[in-house]
Amino acid sequence: MYEFAVNVDSILVILLLIVWGAAGLLAGGLSTRRRTRLLLALIGVGTVVTVARGIGTGLLWSNGWVFVADRVLVALPLLAVPMVAMFALAVPALRRIAGRRQATNGTAKTAETAKTETAGAPPTPFPVSVRVSVRTTAVAALLGAFMEYLSRPLPPYGADMAIYTGILLVAAAASRGRNPRPRRAGTRRAVAVTALVATAITGAGVYEMRTSLLPDRMSMMGHGDVDYGGGPGGSHHGSRASGAPAVKAVNAADLTGPRTGTPDRAFTLTARETSIRLGSGAVLDAWTYNGQAPGPALTVREGDLVQVTLVNRLPREGVTIHWHGLDVPNAEDGVAGVTQDAVQPGESHVYRFRADQVGTFWYHTHQRPLVGVRRGLFGSLVVLPPEGTTGEDITVMAHNWERPDGLVAAFGTSDTLDRRPVRPGTPVRLRVVNTDRNAWSDVESRNLVLLGARFRVAAIDGVDLDGPSELDGVRLSVAEGGRYDLTFVMPDRPVLLADLANPRAGLLLSPGSDGPVTAPSIPSDAPVFDPATYGTPAPVPFTRFDRDFTVIIDDRIGFHDGTLHFLPTVNGRSFPHTPVHMVRQGEVVRMTFVNRSHQVHPMHLHGHHALVLSRNGRPTTGSPWWIDTLAVQPGETYEIGFRADNPGVWMDHCHDLGHAADGMVTHLAYEGISTPYEIGHGTPNQPE
Ligand code: C2O
Ligand code: CU
């Protein structure tokens, strides 16, 4: 519904501009019969489109006030005022003119006499009421579209209203001039106006383009505006805050894991160029950790001190390792330009952290991840409880590979059916990691199905759910970067895990190892599993919030780092102009995501797990649902809450890696903590 409404709405904005713009141009000319009729027709069409937009606004409003606040409070009233004047004054005047000409025409029986009449009595300009009201309407439509473009959906709008009203008054005054202009002067004026508008648009475009450029070097602390979320203000450079206690300055590079002690588990991951073979036989040039993609499955036990040595043997590309979902100390987080410098070819880097969350996680490079992760620099990381695991414990990574014949969804490297025997009666834990977006859809995350067994969603994003009930015949919509653990007891028939984007691929668990098996067939319209209502509820651990942040997601045509894109935006801006969310250690934070855009955005906060509090204004009713990556679909609003208990400078970005590369990046910063690393073309670091 929302997608439909928002798509229609985008078309209506453009139509509105075209129709009212044409009417405005026409109103400046002479009132010949043809022009008068055309103008009346345009006013009719413009009114219909405007009313349609009003209805569309009503539909979007049902998703929440924040979806329409800017147009209800600014764009539509600005349009309504001149339109009322138009109906009160201009339309009757135009009718009179049309009627008069009609009457004259009625007596003029032949084309010959009509021509004489036209030639003999030169038509006059339209009356001032027509010129002023129609042209002001056109300018109001333009301002409305501009406001839309800015995606500035947060009131108050006092300043916007004042500026736009001023522009409208100037436009109204400028449209008053009454003297009929000779044709040539008219043409000259039209050329001048067109040139002026073209110059203004080009100027604005060049300005946007230039301000979108990433500086040669910049600190991640220095971008955008600092948002204090209604909490105490201060400086994150460690200087004294107004009225606030001084916070001791801390260097994020010092926030490491245990630097001493013998590791319980030590791994070496070497990034290199490797060709890999998919199940279908396709051979791809990949970037891998240890020559395999996905990289080695790292399995450790809770409490283990883990040490990973990253060695870079790629010919040119820098690399890092980010432990997605594991809330490690800041300096171990593996983000180029934020928590370390990208490891250059020939160099190495050591990560050390204690694995104190049990669950399913994954690791991937955070240097140009759009390229690196897509090409294979990722793997799974599973933290088992101290007592280990029983039955079959299988991790699968859903990934899209760029085959010569196009993008294909796969599990690991198998883009065809991958068969695996499991004895009936065996308890199975299937850990599904989603590394990438839905290859088919912009509005939904990856859609998976598990067929042939009743199963439970035992954990999401590495956190167990309380009281998960048995499911059957549902689609699992897993956020890009998110994980679902599915548990079931192996039945005496085959069980299939499949991605709806590629029905040919799948993991087939079969009760016997020999003989042909038929895979269960995939239903196309299974309902989507809803974590918000699944499992047994528990009291929310947060009672009040020290900070409240609102993240409005939208999209528009715009520049990022000098190139024109269809751009996802955060509060109307693209990185480096996006907000920094500032907190203090120990605070409880609420963050509200509102997706006004046309696409799904999986929002990923590093270093913290957050509890989903509500969706679309309704509190969650199921098991506590903790996430590190939350897919916010178009039209949706989510509130999440978390405790700021892991000091550092943390990425908070969209895990659609293409969106992140286009500037859908913000940060969570702790007061008093700064990072010594820098990003930009003059540094080795490109975190997105
Ligand atoms: Cu999975 Cu910022 O990353
Ligand atoms: Cu996104």
Side-chain angles (χ1 to χ4, degrees):
M1 186 63 220
Y2 177 85
E3 285 114 60
F4 176 75
V6 81
N7 284 328
V8 171
D9 189 71
S10 304
I11 297 170
L12 290 182
V13 182
I14 296 167
L15 270 184
L16 214 60
L17 269 183
I18 295 174
V19 176
W20 287 132
L25 287 179
L26 207 61
L30 298 175
S31 63
T32 62
R33 191 172 125 240
R34 244 187 64 224
R35 281 166 167 262
T36 308
R37 284 186 165 178
L38 188 56
L39 188 51
L40 274 169
L42 281 176
I43 290 175
V45 176
T47 306
V48 170
V49 177
T50 308
V51 168
R53 183 124 209 267
I55 296 171
T57 302
L59 288 178
L60 296 176
W61 199 330
S62 63
N63 283 68
W65 170 239
V66 72
F67 286 82
V68 292
D70 47 351
R71 67 177 73 163
V72 172
L73 292 179
V74 185
L76 289 177
L78 279 181
L79 195 55
V81 173
M83 278 185 72
V84 167
M86 185 167 71
F87 278 102
L89 305 170
V91 171
L94 287 170
R95 283 233 166 104
R96 268 198 306 281
I97 298 168
R100 206 157 53 227
R101 300 257 190 271
Q102 191 68 46
T104 334
N105 246 28
T107 60
K109 286 278 183 267
T110 65
E112 193 58 39
T113 41
K115 210 187 270 169
T116 319
E117 183 253 339
T118 317
T124 52
F126 285 109
V128 78
S129 63
V130 174
R131 284 206 306 276
V132 171
S133 63
V134 175
R135 298 197 131 185
T136 317
T137 301
V139 175
L142 190 66
L143 293 177
F146 181 66
M147 185 140 191
E148 191 85 346
Y149 170 78
L150 293 182
S151 21
R152 222 184 71 68
L154 291 176
Y157 295 119
D160 307 61
M161 205 51 176
I163 294 169
Y164 294 162
T165 310
I167 294 176
L168 274 195
L169 289 176
V170 171
S175 317
R176 275 179 56 238
R178 172 139 221 160
N179 293 341
R181 287 180 303 274
R183 185 173 278 270
R184 280 197 40 220
T187 314
R188 245 186 280 136
R189 203 174 119 123
V191 169
V193 169
T194 312
L196 197 73
V197 170
T199 313
I201 292 176
T202 314
V206 169
Y207 176 78
E208 238 286 323
M209 196 263 274
R210 298 211 49 114
T211 52
S212 82
L213 288 172
L214 289 180
D216 229 29
R217 12 179 18 106
M218 69 176 285
S219 164
M220 272 301 194
M221 311 300 299
H223 73 85
D225 291 325
V226 177
D227 184 348
Y228 294 99
S235 159
H236 52 291
H237 301 292
S239 64
R240 224 184 75 83
S242 49
V247 176
K248 193 163 60 73
V250 172
N251 185 340
D254 297 334
L255 300 169
T256 62
R259 284 283 100 178
T260 54
T262 319
D264 301 295
R265 303 299 309 273
F267 304 94
T268 298
L269 296 179
T270 304
R272 58 167 73 108
E273 221 168 47
T274 318
S275 53
I276 58 163
R277 180 183 293 272
L278 302 184
S280 61
V283 175
L284 310 179
D285 292 329
W287 292 345
T288 64
Y289 293 114
N290 293 6
Q292 58 185 100
L298 307 183
T299 305
V300 302
R301 299 276 172 108
E302 185 181 16
D304 280 354
L305 176 58
V306 180
Q307 173 173 314
V308 179
T309 306
L310 166 64
V311 181
N312 187 1
R313 298 254 179 273
L314 289 169
R316 270 174 299 278
E317 186 76 9
V319 68
T320 71
I321 304 178
H322 165 58
W323 314 98
H324 184 124
L326 208 62
D327 304 327
V328 297
N330 194 228
E332 311 294 343
D333 198 42
V335 182
V338 182
T339 66
Q340 66 174 98
D341 281 323
V343 178
Q344 294 307 303
E347 293 178 355
S348 62
H349 183 93
V350 177
Y351 298 93
R352 284 168 66 101
F353 52 84
R354 205 164 285 283
D356 45 19
Q357 293 155 265
V358 170
T360 308
F361 308 96
W362 65 300
Y363 62 88
H364 62 79
T365 184
H366 222 302
Q367 161 72 6
R368 286 216 304 153
L370 175 61
V371 183
V373 177
R374 289 222 166 136
R375 295 191 81 172
L377 288 171
F378 64 88
S380 65
L381 169 63
V382 170
V383 182
L384 296 175
E387 69 277 11
T389 182
T390 51
E392 284 282 343
D393 195 318
I394 304 168
T395 304
V396 270
M397 304 197 76
H399 187 72
N400 302 329
W401 294 105
E402 192 67 58
R403 253 184 359 202
D405 58 342
L407 205 63
V408 66
F411 292 109
T413 46
S414 74
D415 54 350
T416 52
L417 208 60
D418 181 14
R419 185 170 154 180
R420 200 166 161 145
V422 177
R423 212 160 349 96
T426 313
V428 180
R429 188 173 190 109
L430 207 50
R431 304 169 185 267
V432 186
V433 182
N434 181 12
T435 67
D436 207 342
R437 45 172 299 156
N438 186 329
W440 267 4
S441 164
D442 281 337
V443 297
E444 276 184 64
S445 300
R446 191 186 293 275
N447 266 264
L448 303 172
V449 285
L450 185 69
L451 305 167
R454 295 177 63 81
F455 66 97
R456 297 169 206 270
V457 178
I460 294 180
D461 286 3
V463 183
D464 279 350
L465 300 181
D466 288 347
S469 54
E470 271 196 318
L471 298 166
D472 199 5
V474 291
R475 272 188 294 153
L476 303 168
S477 174
V478 186
E480 298 84 326
R483 289 86 60 212
Y484 272 24
D485 289 17
L486 313 176
T487 56
F488 57 93
V489 175
M490 184 65 195
D492 50 12
R493 54 181 191 280
V495 174
L496 176 72
L497 175 73
D499 185 330
L500 292 183
N502 181 9
R504 289 215 201 128
L507 175 64
L508 184 71
L509 306 180
S510 66
S513 56
D514 41 50
V517 283
T518 28
S521 63
I522 299 172
S524 54
D525 55 355
V528 178
F529 164 74
D530 182 9
T533 57
Y534 181 69
T536 318
V540 176
F542 311 128
T543 45
R544 45 160 206 99
F545 297 94
D546 304 298
R547 310 259 178 177
D548 232 319
F549 298 110
T550 304
V551 173
I552 311 266
I553 302 162
D554 213 327
D555 45 18
R556 61 175 162 91
I557 307 272
F559 287 94
H560 175 67
D561 201 13
T563 46
L564 199 61
H565 295 269
F566 187 65
L567 209 61
T569 57
V570 172
N571 296 354
R573 316 296 300 273
S574 170
F575 186 84
H577 304 292
T578 45
V580 174
H581 297 116
M582 184 65 68
V583 298
R584 280 187 186 164
Q585 189 167 356
E587 285 180 335
V588 180
V589 181
R590 176 163 54 196
M591 207 174 259
T592 306
F593 296 112
V594 180
N595 186 352
R596 310 204 332 166
S597 82
H598 300 71
Q599 300 187 313
V600 59
H601 298 287
M603 303 306 291
H604 171 48
L605 171 62
H606 287 211
H608 302 73
H609 270 73
L611 182 66
V612 180
L613 304 169
S614 75
R615 180 178 58 210
N616 303 334
R618 278 185 298 280
T620 53
T621 57
S623 155
W625 172 21
W626 291 90
I627 49 95
D628 54 60
T629 315
L630 179 67
V632 187
Q633 287 186 306
E636 284 187 333
T637 303
Y638 275 99
E639 285 175 313
I640 63 171
F642 63 91
R643 189 174 295 281
D645 55 4
N646 195 3
V649 182
W650 301 100
M651 279 283 198
D652 187 358
H653 63 97
C654 181
H655 217 285
D656 182 313
L657 299 173
H659 294 179
D662 282 351
M664 203 170 173
V665 175
T666 68
H667 287 87
L668 180 75
Y670 280 65
E671 202 176 302
I673 297 180
S674 59
T675 166
Y677 304 106
E678 289 184 308
I679 66 154
H681 303 297
T683 73
N685 302 320
Q686 261 178 277
E688 300 296 350

